[in-house]
Amino acid sequence: MTTTYPFSAIVGMDGLRLALLLNAVSPAVGGVLVRGEKGTAKSTAVRAIAALLPEVDVVAGCRFSCDPAAPDPSCPDGPHEPGTGEARPARMVELPVGASEDRLVGALDIERALSDGVKAFEPGLLADAHRGVLYVDEVNLLHDHLIDLLLDAAAMGASYVEREGVSVRHAARFLLVGTMNPEEGELRPQLLDRFGLTVEVAASRDTGERVEVVRRRLAYDEDPEGFAARWAADEEALRERIAAARALLPRVGLGDRALRQIAAVCAGFEVDGMRADIVTARTATALAAWAGRTDVRTEDVRGAALLSLPHRRRRAPFDAPGLDEDKLDEILRRFEEDDPEPDPDPGPEGPGDGPDGSDGPDDTGGGPQEGAGDGAREQTPPTAPERSVPDQRGGEHEAAEREDGSARTDRDGGAADPGEGDGGTGGAGGERAAVGAAEPFRTRRLDVPGLGEGAAGRRSRARSAHGRTTGARRPRGTLSALHLTATVRAAAPHQRTRGRSGPGLLVRRDDLREAVREGREGNLVLFVVDASGSMAARKRMSAIKGAVLSLLLDAYQRRDKVGLITFRGADAELALPPTSSVDAAAVRLERLPTGGRTPLAAGLLKAREVLRVERLRDPARRPLLVVVTDGRATEARRSGGPAPVERAGRAARMLAGDGVASVVVDCESGPVRLGLAGALAGELRGTRVTLDELRADSVTALVRDVRNVSNPRRAA
């Protein structure tokens, strides 16, 4: 059996350690979401906390770990008579990213349920984790429907398995811990809210601390048993302290004053809903019990807020979770001024009288003030670049545009970029500094035509395990979604030959039919953005970046992978390889400079190469190419070679021949329009939309106007 790395031997990461300990004291806190870069010992800390949990008493032979003192009346292995059971260590169950729904919640034997009326149930991971720890590594990569099932069970304390009217329920109360690397994509806000606490971890920049981490890890790898033995006393002391805090927790009083403090803090940070208030209250109570006190104080409220609110506060799209500690202190200070009533006398159990005789939580490096504060400092996100407000007249980028608004055309058939010199560097101005994006807006849905079979998402139509039922077929492997009507139809003609004599339906394996369902899939949305001087002059780049940022936000909500290609000057660049981290694409977009010629063909050819490689990596994920340009093509012409516009047309036809679905966002403006973006969309066999048509409210208004014209009474 593998020896677990001791929890007390972990160096630093006080915020993470405190959050895990508080959940060990009070599982009602609701679990922990650990965000951080790779290689920061997130998994090590989670596995280590499971070894500290007290043993649990279970009913002998029960697959669902029922408590013998209060057995679950709905237990599929029951009913159990109250009495003595057997003790075993608390389990830590790991949920793999590629797990199926049946593996998570369990599976029913549909054939026996229909023919014999027997609820033959095979428990899943939720049953195994009952009264223990359920650990989900890379939770942001888990399929959405599995996350929904997981968090529903965590919130209700029970798991429900239903198959065509046959249902099983069992208790499922566990400490939920998820880890994720934000570079690989974010969780949806409503799912973030279901985790009780969140902490941000990063590798220490302190040389001495890093040296100690390496020293301890090498010692553990060389002799795990000996290393664990050297920390056994510290582990036992920590285990006893957790048990003492659990015993003290029911006696901790959450006074009205502390509740008003919590409400003031949550209202001050404008969090949505009431879950934040409830979780903060439970966390503050656990902090007081961990400190060995029976009353909740201001420092408990502050420490609880630092752990429970960062992922719940309102923030701009793509902003990392975080909490302004100065604002938190100001809210608490104002509360003290408005309500100067002192805290009640703590009695004989003061802050220095911990349950083990220590001076409170400082012994573990994770106290309510020090630990929470350190964790919060780790959570503080880097300052995002400020977005400049575009000048209503177009700013300096439109200064190069001719006063009469006319466009200059070169002898190769492409429109010349204003301000471009012979060197293709944007003329005297050269490369222009990056400008901020305008405010994002809700976009219309752009999807891939046809029916796919890619990863679950919210964009294009696809065959899916979840969605509306469109037909039935013979099972392929394990039956997961029974089509009851089709199964009965298949079994009905054979009842006489099978010797049916009673009311039951004789069903065999060959009769079973599974439902064919249609849902939505996530796609690979590859952005090809024109960053040349023509775009900077003829359309405010901030507005264009705002449109792309809006499409990125839409891709995030629809669970797509995204990539970003930019072209300017002499070539195209893959600014961001296809990834699930949409916020990384937003950061690259913010820093995008502009200027120079317009190598449109190079941008399209680069997109074709990227899509070719991605097709080999993930053939089931269909791509959607989004080209953001005014359609102009200007570049240094090779001797005897085709004109830039002709080269771009050839590249577009190659993409169309590959069957790539595409959308051209036409950024051309001004009184004279050449319609080059529309011609490019034709070569791509794709769709052309303008910036205005990209807005969802514009489409809604258009539909409303058409309805009003056809129905004058409605318009009136």
Side-chain angles (χ1 to χ4, degrees):
M1 183 176 179
T2 304
T3 302
T4 304
Y5 191 93
F7 188 83
S8 51
I10 296 174
V11 179
M13 297 198 300
D14 295 333
L16 170 59
R17 296 169 66 199
L18 178 63
L20 292 172
L21 288 168
L22 292 178
N23 273 273
V25 171
S26 175
V29 166
V32 186
L33 175 64
V34 187
R35 297 166 47 91
E37 58 196 22
K38 53 186 177 295
T40 50
K42 302 186 296 292
S43 302
T44 300
V46 175
R47 294 186 176 98
I49 192 66
L52 296 177
L53 297 179
E55 289 188 336
V56 293
D57 292 328
V58 298
V59 174
C62 178
R63 298 174 297 168
F64 301 88
S65 303
C66 281
D67 185 352
D72 180 12
S74 301
C75 176
D77 284 355
H80 304 299
E81 293 295 331
T84 58
E86 58 184 15
R88 64 160 176 79
R91 293 173 180 163
M92 194 197 79
V93 177
E94 297 192 40
L95 173 61
V97 171
S100 65
E101 180 178 337
D102 287 346
R103 185 71 186 97
L104 176 63
V105 300
L108 285 171
D109 189 333
I110 301 298
E111 185 176 0
R112 291 191 62 193
L114 286 177
S115 58
D116 303 333
V118 176
K119 293 182 181 179
F121 181 68
E122 184 66 27
L125 295 177
L126 292 179
D128 293 341
H130 180 46
R131 305 176 68 196
V133 178
L134 181 61
Y135 172 49
V136 188
D137 194 13
E138 306 294 350
V139 64
N140 52 324
L141 302 183
L142 205 62
H143 287 306
D144 282 357
H145 72 282
L146 292 182
I147 295 178
D148 292 338
L149 292 170
L150 176 66
L151 296 179
D152 282 345
M156 297 185 296
S159 174
Y160 294 85
V161 183
E162 299 191 6
R163 295 289 188 273
E164 302 293 344
V166 180
S167 63
V168 170
R169 174 204 173 277
H170 65 84
R173 291 184 294 276
F174 45 81
L175 167 57
L176 175 63
V177 182
T179 60
M180 60 175 285
N181 183 351
E183 294 178 356
E184 297 173 335
E186 289 284 356
L187 282 172
R188 300 198 312 266
Q190 60 268 39
L191 299 184
L192 277 174
D193 185 54
R194 299 297 286 272
F195 283 94
L197 310 179
T198 186
V199 289
E200 191 93 10
V201 297
S204 173
R205 300 297 182 258
D206 180 78
T207 303
E209 191 168 294
R210 294 175 74 97
V211 168
E212 186 61 25
V213 169
V214 175
R215 181 182 291 117
R216 293 186 186 183
R217 185 68 207 191
L218 292 178
Y220 170 78
D221 291 341
E222 183 178 350
D223 182 12
E225 290 79 10
F227 184 83
R230 289 194 294 273
W231 290 89
D234 299 276
E235 291 287 280
E236 184 59 31
L238 203 52
R239 189 177 293 108
E240 291 176 358
R241 186 170 177 188
I242 291 173
R246 278 191 170 189
L248 181 63
L249 185 65
R251 305 205 308 271
V252 176
L254 184 65
D256 186 64
R257 187 169 187 272
L259 282 173
R260 292 200 304 272
Q261 275 184 318
I262 293 170
V265 169
C266 293
F269 282 100
E270 298 182 339
V271 296
D272 295 325
M274 296 300 298
R275 185 175 283 116
D277 302 65
I278 296 171
V279 172
T280 305
R282 289 172 175 167
T283 307
T285 304
L287 274 167
W290 180 245
R293 289 184 273 101
T294 57
D295 65 303
V296 175
R297 300 179 178 177
T298 299
E299 58 263 32
D300 300 325
V301 174
R302 184 183 189 277
L306 290 173
L307 294 171
S308 64
L309 298 186
H311 57 306
R312 293 185 169 92
R313 67 172 180 85
R314 290 186 180 179
R315 57 186 190 273
F318 309 118
D319 282 353
L323 204 67
D324 186 344
E325 290 192 60
D326 292 336
K327 181 177 179 180
L328 174 60
D329 292 335
E330 176 63 21
I331 293 173
L332 292 174
R333 185 188 61 78
R334 288 201 307 265
F335 181 86
E336 293 292 340
E337 292 176 353
D338 296 340
D339 189 357
E341 178 185 353
D343 287 332
D345 182 41
E349 288 186 335
D353 300 323
D356 58 355
S358 65
D359 290 334
D362 292 338
D363 292 344
T364 66
Q369 278 189 301
E370 181 183 352
D374 292 345
R377 282 192 292 273
E378 291 174 350
Q379 296 170 29
T380 304
T383 304
E386 294 184 3
R387 294 177 182 165
S388 60
V389 180
D391 182 71
Q392 296 300 318
R393 298 185 304 275
E396 62 179 2
H397 296 307
E398 291 191 0
E401 191 171 0
R402 297 191 174 192
E403 294 182 0
D404 59 359
S406 61
R408 179 163 55 89
T409 306
D410 66 9
R411 60 177 175 271
D412 293 332
D417 294 344
E420 289 180 357
D422 293 338
T425 59
E431 180 180 294
R432 299 182 176 92
V435 297
E439 287 300 317
F441 52 84
R442 189 167 64 90
T443 68
R444 58 185 287 188
R445 188 177 72 206
L446 308 174
D447 54 13
V448 179
L451 193 64
E453 294 183 347
R458 296 185 172 187
R459 183 172 297 278
S460 305
R461 295 174 54 222
R463 296 183 183 91
S464 172
H466 300 271
R468 62 186 182 90
T469 301
T470 59
R473 67 184 179 193
R474 292 181 181 273
R476 299 176 180 176
T478 304
L479 179 65
S480 58
L482 178 73
H483 195 295
L484 182 59
T485 304
T487 299
V488 172
R489 260 200 320 264
H494 308 290
Q495 297 304 296
R496 181 173 297 177
T497 58
R498 293 175 183 173
R500 172 188 170 188
S501 58
L505 186 68
L506 296 181
V507 179
R508 295 180 180 174
R509 174 64 60 179
D510 292 341
D511 301 327
L512 298 180
R513 299 292 184 270
E514 68 178 1
V516 176
R517 292 174 175 170
E518 182 180 310
R520 293 279 173 180
E521 67 176 359
N523 298 109
L524 166 59
V525 182
L526 182 61
F527 293 92
V528 181
V529 180
D530 185 347
S532 66
S534 123
M535 296 285 282
R538 296 199 174 274
K539 202 73 177 176
R540 291 191 303 270
M541 198 62 193
S542 60
I544 295 168
K545 285 186 176 182
V548 178
L549 190 66
S550 303
L551 290 168
L552 284 171
L553 180 60
D554 181 69
Y556 163 70
Q557 294 170 339
R558 299 190 188 280
R559 314 302 290 171
D560 295 318
K561 289 180 68 175
V562 297
L564 178 63
I565 293 174
T566 63
F567 59 93
R568 56 180 292 276
D571 205 355
E573 175 191 4
L574 179 59
L576 182 72
T579 176
S580 297
S581 180
V582 178
D583 55 342
V587 172
R588 303 290 174 90
L589 182 69
E590 282 280 357
R591 300 171 181 171
L592 178 66
T594 60
R597 291 186 180 274
T598 314
L600 177 58
L604 296 177
L605 291 174
K606 175 68 76 172
R608 186 170 187 250
E609 176 62 19
V610 170
L611 294 178
R612 183 189 67 81
V613 174
E614 286 301 311
R615 195 176 296 115
L616 296 175
R617 291 177 177 173
D618 189 358
R621 189 181 290 269
R622 297 187 296 163
L624 175 63
L625 182 67
V626 179
V627 185
V628 183
T629 182
D630 55 10
R632 292 175 174 81
T634 59
E635 56 187 84
R637 184 174 180 178
R638 302 171 184 173
S639 177
V645 171
E646 184 180 348
R647 291 189 68 234
R650 289 181 182 179
R653 289 191 292 273
M654 292 168 67
L655 282 164
D658 293 340
V660 177
S662 59
V663 175
V664 177
V665 180
D666 187 356
C667 301
E668 189 176 28
S669 63
V672 178
R673 304 197 181 191
L674 304 178
L676 297 175
L680 176 64
E683 298 281 11
L684 287 167
R685 300 177 195 166
T687 304
R688 168 192 169 271
V689 296
T690 65
L691 287 174
D692 290 336
E693 292 171 345
L694 196 60
R695 294 178 177 269
D697 51 2
S698 299
V699 178
T700 304
L702 176 62
V703 173
R704 184 170 57 248
D705 291 342
V706 170
R707 288 178 176 175
N708 289 341
V709 169
S710 61
N711 189 350
R713 292 183 180 179
R714 179 177 297 175

